Amino acid sequence: MTPYEVCALVCPCRTGRKVMAIKLTRRSFIAATGASSLALAVPALAQSRELIIISNRSNPKQREALETIAANFGRAAGVKVAVNNMDHEAHKTAIRNYLVASPPDICFWYSGERMRSFVEKGLFADITDLVEQEGWAKVVPSMSAVTVKGRQYGLPTAGILWGLFYRQDMFDEAGLTPPKTFDDFFTLGEKAKAAGIVPVSMGIKNMWPAGGWFDHMNLRINGLEFHQALMNGEVAYTDQKVANVMSKWSDLIDAGLFTPNATSYAWEQAASAMVQKRAAMLDLGSFVKQVTPAEDIDQIRFQLFPTIDPSIGRYEDFSVDSIHIPSGAPNPEVAREFLTYFYQPDNLATYIKPDGNPPARIDVDLNDDPIIAMAINEMKTVEGTSQYYDRDTNPDVAQAGMKGFQEFMVYPDRADSILGQIEKARERAYGAL
């Protein structure tokens, strides 16, 4: 199957859209509905060296940033670069075809389980030696997100660091202190309720915020290695360590810390309750900015989830996007040169800034965004990261898990039966242990 045939599967070229290209290589995607291509030419003497990039960026300014970086690399390295920007949703289908039929040299994707499935099929190249050569692990706490059995198959770019958000002015008015330990949650709860404020805002109408709460509890109680084993289907949900997580979580529910009738609210409503001073805190990602008026941004504070077991390291949910070299890349050495260039702090900052998410590298400066600056500062204390629950495990298990956690928030006494149902989904996906 040619790249043209792959493209036709997801974005037939019937729009007559004008293509911004000088001359695309035969292996690149043609411009089509939901996909645009830009060939970045260099002097004729360098035309023998080529690089084909496929990205899935929906933000126009981020696409422009990538094209600028690619053009600068092409001029510096003497490489003809073709950048193919696909529609975000169409790319989810296309990548399953082009990685097999006609892979590019560079592509953008997700870390965690979504990456691991391609690694297991041998479709992403092992770049462990490049990671070691450049010393990237020292400045990228989330390198575990692109690691499978001790080997690296991509580089994290930027993502969502999940944690607790609150308003400093409201905390000052109500005499509240951000919780640093599990016991502090109960102190916060008593003071917040006395002031007529919901201690922890929760909106689980769409289930996934409950998955994030489970992630944080499990990471704080059992650590990253156990959490990853559970996400990989290597541990049963009926394991006592998982039961311990539900027991601790149940203590918070029984203490009335969460929004009543949380299943009636989406994340936007839960976040708005915090922004509007009707709730003290919530566990979310930096996209809380989407419901925060500009005049209130300077009052928003971010901190990592409190410690539960002091002996457990600082591990966080950081759901990162990533960049990869397909194993069938036609120009693998040029691809490695590009990765090294792209991953320099200044270039990575240029690429990330338009999308407004925390960078994977802790030495990237984006301090003009106060919320991102807080997230970057907190990342410096992180020892390792997982993805978000539904990015880290089999999709069917994730669905069963999030549904179960949603039910648990309403009926915590059903913990055993809920974990039993999730375990059945794990067995179907991964097999009996």
Side-chain angles (χ1 to χ4, degrees):
M1 181 181 289
T2 70
Y4 304 98
E5 292 169 328
V6 173
C7 184
L9 290 174
V10 294
C11 48
C13 304
R14 298 173 181 171
T15 64
R17 185 175 176 182
K18 188 175 181 180
V19 180
M20 291 180 60
I22 297 173
K23 182 181 178 182
L24 296 181
T25 67
R26 188 176 185 279
R27 301 186 68 86
S28 65
F29 276 78
I30 59 175
T33 302
S36 62
S37 299
L38 178 64
L40 307 163
V42 294
L45 291 177
Q47 296 304 299
S48 61
R49 279 168 45 92
E50 298 182 349
L51 183 74
I52 305 163
I53 300 172
I54 294 180
S55 81
N56 60 346
R57 300 295 84 190
S58 57
N59 185 324
K61 291 185 178 180
Q62 191 168 41
R63 292 199 299 267
E64 291 175 9
L66 174 60
E67 288 164 358
T68 297
I69 294 168
N72 291 340
F73 168 76
R75 283 190 290 270
V79 173
K80 179 182 177 182
V81 184
V83 178
N84 302 282
N85 289 303
M86 291 198 67
D87 172 79
H88 186 79
E89 291 303 315
H91 183 256
K92 293 178 181 179
T93 300
I95 189 171
R96 289 166 172 77
N97 296 312
Y98 72 64
L99 284 178
V100 175
S102 188
D105 299 301
I106 293 287
C107 69
F108 289 79
W109 189 233
Y110 307 104
S111 301
E113 195 275 339
R114 299 185 191 185
M115 179 204 76
R116 189 165 57 248
S117 64
F118 288 137
V119 171
E120 291 171 351
K121 295 173 184 176
L123 297 175
F124 280 153
D126 184 336
I127 61 165
T128 306
D129 62 328
L130 190 59
V131 171
E132 294 174 348
Q133 173 186 308
E134 299 295 327
W136 284 325
K138 298 176 182 178
V139 292
V140 184
S142 57
M143 195 63 75
S144 57
V146 292
T147 300
V148 177
K149 296 181 179 178
R151 311 294 294 180
Q152 284 76 53
Y153 293 88
L155 295 174
T157 56
I160 300 168
L161 179 62
W162 302 80
L164 298 180
F165 288 86
Y166 62 98
R167 288 189 64 126
Q168 185 62 59
D169 54 354
M170 185 182 72
F171 268 52
D172 292 341
E173 293 163 8
L176 302 178
T177 302
K180 297 297 183 184
T181 68
F182 187 74
D183 288 342
D184 290 344
F185 266 132
F186 299 98
T187 302
L188 171 75
E190 292 173 2
K191 290 185 176 180
K193 286 188 287 186
I197 302 167
V198 172
V200 179
S201 190
M202 179 72 88
I204 54 174
K205 183 178 181 179
N206 301 115
M207 300 191 296
W208 55 263
W213 198 272
F214 173 81
D215 282 352
H216 274 139
M217 296 285 288
N218 195 36
L219 287 167
R220 290 294 183 269
I221 294 171
N222 295 317
L224 182 61
E225 185 176 349
F226 179 86
H227 183 74
Q228 289 181 327
L230 183 67
M231 296 298 98
N232 293 342
E234 299 165 2
V235 174
Y237 274 85
T238 51
D239 189 284
Q240 184 59 46
K241 288 187 175 182
V242 183
N244 293 342
V245 172
M246 307 306 279
S247 178
K248 283 282 192 181
W249 192 355
S250 179
D251 290 342
L252 298 178
I253 297 172
D254 293 342
L257 264 66
F258 300 103
T259 303
N261 303 315
T263 55
S264 300
Y265 306 111
W267 76 263
E268 294 95 337
Q269 294 164 302
S272 293
M274 182 274 294
V275 172
Q276 297 166 9
K277 300 184 178 182
R278 293 183 285 113
M281 308 189 84
L282 83 160
D283 187 8
L284 208 64
S286 54
F287 49 88
V288 70
K289 293 182 294 183
Q290 296 176 21
V291 298
T292 305
E295 62 270 20
D296 292 332
I297 285 289
D298 65 343
Q299 292 297 332
I300 302 298
R301 299 291 183 270
F302 171 83
Q303 72 160 50
L304 299 177
F305 199 86
T307 298
I308 297 179
D309 182 344
S311 69
I312 298 295
R314 178 66 77 179
Y315 305 119
E316 303 300 332
D317 257 353
F318 185 46
S319 48
V320 292
D321 294 338
S322 43
I323 183 171
H324 306 269
I325 299 177
S327 56
N331 305 290
E333 290 306 315
V334 180
R336 288 164 64 91
E337 289 177 33
F338 177 78
L339 273 192
T340 304
Y341 181 84
F342 173 85
Y343 217 56
Q344 293 174 10
D346 289 348
N347 289 331
L348 191 59
T350 298
Y351 171 74
I352 291 167
K353 189 172 183 178
D355 222 28
N357 282 323
R361 287 189 68 136
I362 60 175
D363 55 354
V364 170
D365 184 4
L366 292 176
N367 289 327
D368 53 341
D369 184 319
I371 291 180
I372 299 305
M374 284 186 279
I376 293 173
N377 187 59
E378 293 282 12
M379 279 291 288
K380 294 177 181 178
T381 69
V382 173
E383 298 172 44
T385 66
S386 61
Q387 296 292 292
Y388 202 71
Y389 185 81
D390 62 347
R391 280 195 182 196
D392 248 351
T393 194
N394 173 275
D396 292 335
V397 179
Q399 183 67 17
M402 292 187 295
K403 182 179 179 180
F405 301 145
Q406 181 195 54
E407 180 184 352
F408 175 77
M409 290 290 295
V410 182
Y411 303 106
D413 57 318
R414 298 180 183 176
D416 289 344
S417 64
I418 289 170
L419 291 179
Q421 289 299 314
I422 304 173
E423 173 58 17
K424 289 180 181 178
R426 189 209 63 77
E427 286 186 359
R428 288 192 296 270
Y430 295 104
L433 293 173

